[in-house]
Amino acid sequence: IKAALAALLTDPDDALRQVDELLKSAGSDRTLTAKARYARSRASAMKGLGQQAAADAQDALAAFKAAGDVPGQCDALRALTEARVIEGRPEEAAKEVEDALSRFKAGGSALGEAAALLAQGELLSAQEDYGGSADKATAAQERIKQVQDADAAWLLLRLSEFQMSSWKPEEAAEAAQGALKIFRGLPGGAGKPGEGAA
């Protein structure tokens, strides 16, 4: 999975090939299958294949949900939102993100809520609603403060990236500094996604 995700940066075709091999060998390993579907969704999105990206993101989201893997759900939700934008179906993305936000709220997952709010912000930004986008980013950051683990730190880095793309360098720096503070406080230093408790 790591090699396939790394290949996304340079060669989405290679990433797709690697993920397809992983899927063939995954067998009944649900976690590996979910991660591979997520990776394939990202690779398909990079190639502009919105329909394929959305199908894989939906499969990954369902598998992560069945496993109770909130960080995985957060990643798959972002991939699904991106795929829907590529498909030209932002209304469907908005409904899916709102459903996820409701589910995370009902389950008491601050990390999940933050990820869904950030996905809403990214979606609003793609629709050029920059005021609404900024409000969602602020709300996401408030939820992230409730969680102090590696997954929260990674989500803060994603928020930082989003803030930079929104031309908000001060907010981006604040989010990145928050992530660094969390990473430094973890046993052994910087953690890997999925090592924290959601």
Side-chain angles (χ1 to χ4, degrees):
I1 294 292
K2 289 179 185 177
L5 288 173
L8 284 176
L9 300 174
T10 57
D11 188 352
D13 290 318
D14 184 43
L16 282 171
R17 190 173 60 260
Q18 289 181 40
V19 169
D20 286 339
E21 290 300 317
L22 275 171
L23 284 168
K24 288 177 190 173
S25 66
S28 62
D29 186 335
R30 288 182 175 181
T31 302
L32 181 57
T33 299
K35 289 178 179 180
R37 293 265 185 218
Y38 164 73
R40 189 162 75 178
S41 174
R42 300 288 299 168
S44 295
M46 289 195 67
K47 291 182 56 120
L49 304 173
Q51 189 173 9
Q52 179 63 49
D56 284 323
Q58 284 179 308
D59 289 347
L61 183 59
F64 285 131
K65 189 165 51 170
D69 181 341
V70 172
Q73 291 177 63
C74 295
D75 288 340
L77 181 62
R78 181 184 191 196
L80 182 56
T81 302
E82 178 183 31
R84 294 292 187 221
V85 169
I86 291 168
E87 285 184 300
R89 296 166 58 188
E91 299 82 14
E92 192 168 339
K95 181 185 179 330
E96 290 163 336
V97 172
E98 187 60 40
D99 290 348
L101 179 59
S102 296
R103 188 174 63 252
F104 288 133
K105 280 183 180 178
S109 172
L111 181 72
E113 282 186 60
L117 287 164
L118 185 51
Q120 286 179 328
E122 291 167 334
L123 183 58
L124 289 170
S125 181
Q127 296 172 319
E128 299 182 5
D129 179 353
Y130 303 114
S133 169
D135 291 344
K136 295 298 182 180
T138 299
Q141 189 159 7
E142 288 304 310
R143 297 302 188 294
I144 295 170
K145 288 178 182 177
Q146 298 173 21
V147 186
Q148 295 292 303
D149 63 18
D151 295 315
W154 285 105
L155 191 55
L156 277 170
L157 288 176
R158 183 174 137 204
L159 176 62
S160 177
E161 175 188 355
F162 173 70
Q163 295 288 33
M164 281 302 292
S165 71
S166 300
W167 297 96
K168 297 187 177 217
E170 291 84 15
E171 291 88 342
E174 179 184 343
Q177 289 168 352
L180 182 59
K181 182 179 177 186
I182 293 172
F183 281 135
R184 285 185 173 156
L186 294 173
K192 296 180 184 114
E195 288 183 349

